[in-house]
Amino acid sequence: MTTIKIFGERDAATRHLRENVALALSSFPLNSRVLEVSEPNTIRADGVANTPALMLDGDVVVEGRVPTVEEITRIFQNRFLYKSKLFRLRSVMVPVDISEPSANALLFAWHLAKKFEAKIEVIHAMDSIFEGGLPSASGFLAGYKKTVQAELDDFIKTTLEKIGVTYGPPAQTPPAPKNGEETSEPAIKSTVLYGFPEEVIEEQSQKNDLIVMGTTGRGGVARNLFGSVSTEVSHIAHCPVLFVPAEATFNGFHNVLYASNFDSLDALRIKQVLTFIQRLGARMHFVHVGPAGEEGLELERKLFEVNYEHAGAEYPFIFNKMVGDDVIEQLNDYAFQHRIDLMVFVTHQRSFWETLLHKSITRKAVLGAGLPVLVMHSDDDMLK
């Protein structure tokens, strides 16, 4: 059953919202219950800052205005999309190892968080009391953690200074907008946690909507995209993961390559990616990867087209097929020729991405492309 909450102070705007919700339900019936919340403390406790507001299954979908009946109907029709992590994108996690590659990932995360009005959580995992910095003078673990925390905050401060952003821990809340800006700078929280990086990142990914991490780091080959940590994260994360090469520079995303085989033709994932790139103002390049003589491509193109049109994309998508064994190498060639800014891999089963990861040509080609790679899986926890 879908729970619909209407927040307001029993004024004309709230009554208007209630009427529009009723009309939307009459045109698109849902197994639902509608609750009205008017008590100020309860409204704030539910995370609503401006009324009237509309909440769907615990997620605020409209705030500070009265949506039209048509808009509410679309929200009901796409209610699963509104629950997806990539769509709501409220919290971005950046695992760092105090290296230049992770600094670059932090810069990418900051720009995305700014665009989507999300908060940033920077984490550093200590899998050894002597990893990541100098031990404290006392030699005790608690003292050492304090030393690493100071090193982490200094790392964040130095990194953000490159783009003219001032960071002063604890920075739990964003500063007020300046000179009429529509959005303020993202709130940033830094945390040092004990544990192996893979385990820490997996646990923290459950409460974040996107992970942004570098493809190389202090551990060299053992800590790059195709090494132990990042490869494991690409398999076990409970949210999408954006891998950022050390040499990549954030200039926005204008052309996005959606790499697919038949397993990745998932309507909900397509809509998630489409709404994500629409908010970035990007164009979608849908590129099928598979062997020569493969059947079903026309059906795949039509299915993708239906989902694309339903999402109301601004630009027409571009459909292409890549044939051959060295799939990633061909994708990199396509990316170079079409000025691709981001590659997206969405798979119904993790075996497709896993197969790519374990080919030596893949490792060389993707790292050589110097492009960010967004990895998503068709898992239920991507919708929590």
Side-chain angles (χ1 to χ4, degrees):
M1 177 181 291
T2 299
T3 299
I4 302 169
K5 283 188 178 182
I6 298 172
F7 297 89
E9 301 177 356
R10 300 187 184 279
D11 54 8
T14 305
R15 289 194 297 272
H16 189 189
L17 176 57
R18 184 195 315 128
E19 292 169 358
N20 284 1
V21 168
L23 290 171
L25 285 173
S26 66
S27 63
F28 189 82
L30 282 179
N31 179 19
S32 62
R33 59 173 181 166
V34 180
L35 306 175
E36 293 191 35
V37 182
S38 59
E39 206 283 319
N41 290 333
T42 305
I43 292 175
R44 287 193 294 270
D46 275 333
V48 175
N50 299 292
T51 58
L54 181 65
M55 176 180 283
L56 203 65
D57 287 333
D59 291 312
V60 178
V61 292
V62 179
E63 187 174 9
R65 63 183 179 86
V66 178
T68 65
V69 175
E70 292 75 17
E71 183 180 356
I72 297 173
T73 302
R74 285 196 301 271
I75 291 173
F76 290 163
Q77 291 172 336
N78 294 290
R79 59 194 181 281
F80 296 114
L81 175 62
Y82 277 82
K83 291 177 66 64
S84 69
K85 290 190 171 186
L86 191 61
F87 180 85
R88 66 192 185 201
L89 200 53
R90 297 172 184 164
S91 179
V92 179
M93 180 174 71
V94 189
V96 302
D97 59 358
I98 324 294
S99 66
E100 281 301 316
S102 59
N104 197 36
L106 176 57
L107 294 178
F108 268 74
W110 190 91
H111 285 293
L112 287 173
K114 172 80 170 178
K115 179 71 174 180
F116 288 88
E117 300 183 42
K119 64 181 180 180
I120 298 174
E121 182 173 5
V122 183
I123 66 167
H124 175 73
M126 293 172 52
D127 58 357
S128 166
I129 64 171
F130 296 110
E131 179 184 344
L134 297 175
S136 65
S138 65
F140 291 102
L141 190 58
Y144 175 64
K145 182 179 180 182
K146 186 176 181 180
T147 299
V148 176
Q149 180 67 58
E151 182 184 8
L152 176 60
D153 287 328
D154 184 65
F155 167 78
I156 297 172
K157 179 177 181 293
T158 302
T159 299
L160 294 181
E161 283 176 348
K162 298 176 183 178
I163 55 174
V165 175
T166 300
Y167 168 76
Q172 301 293 339
T173 57
K178 301 176 182 178
N179 301 324
E181 291 179 343
E182 293 184 0
T183 60
S184 59
E185 294 180 354
I188 302 175
K189 177 183 178 182
S190 64
T191 309
V192 175
L193 299 169
Y194 297 119
F196 293 105
E198 301 93 327
E199 297 174 356
V200 169
I201 294 172
E202 179 190 11
E203 180 181 356
Q204 296 300 310
S205 71
Q206 297 184 51
K207 58 182 181 180
N208 284 278
D209 300 324
L210 175 69
I211 296 173
V212 181
M213 61 188 300
T215 58
T216 58
R218 275 187 172 177
V221 175
R223 287 291 190 264
N224 63 34
L225 171 58
F226 301 98
S228 60
V229 174
S230 297
T231 299
E232 185 67 15
V233 169
S234 73
H235 287 266
I236 64 178
H238 298 274
C239 65
V241 185
L242 176 64
F243 293 105
V244 179
E247 64 272 25
T249 301
F250 186 87
N251 293 309
F253 296 127
H254 307 288
N255 288 281
V256 176
L257 188 158
Y258 182 107
S260 170
N261 66 354
F262 290 117
D263 281 344
S264 61
L265 197 64
D266 182 300
L268 180 58
R269 307 308 153 188
I270 291 174
K271 290 179 182 178
Q272 288 180 41
V273 176
L274 286 176
T275 53
F276 176 70
I277 70 166
Q278 277 184 266
R279 294 165 75 180
L280 295 171
R283 181 187 298 272
M284 173 75 82
H285 295 248
F286 181 83
V287 181
H288 178 87
V289 292
E294 189 175 25
E295 298 180 355
L297 287 181
E298 183 59 24
L299 175 61
E300 181 184 36
R301 188 194 66 78
K302 289 181 178 179
L303 288 173
F304 183 83
E305 184 175 9
V306 168
N307 287 295
Y308 194 86
E309 292 177 349
H310 185 71
E314 180 179 356
Y315 303 108
F317 74 90
I318 299 171
F319 184 90
N320 282 281
K321 179 184 177 181
M322 309 300 294
V323 178
D325 295 329
D326 296 338
V327 171
I328 298 297
E329 186 172 18
Q330 294 183 61
L331 288 176
N332 284 335
D333 289 341
Y334 183 94
F336 177 78
Q337 295 171 13
H338 295 84
R339 298 183 178 182
I340 298 298
D341 308 297
L342 173 68
M343 286 189 184
V344 180
F345 290 87
V346 184
T347 66
H348 182 66
Q349 296 179 344
R350 301 188 181 202
S351 56
F352 175 63
W353 178 246
E354 183 177 1
T355 299
L356 295 179
L357 283 174
H358 285 86
K359 291 184 178 180
S360 59
I361 185 66
T362 302
R363 304 174 188 178
K364 179 180 178 181
V366 172
L367 289 177
L371 290 176
V373 175
L374 178 66
V375 179
M376 297 176 61
H377 302 297
S378 296
D379 292 340
D380 291 339
D381 53 18
M382 293 287 184
L383 298 175
K384 295 178 181 178

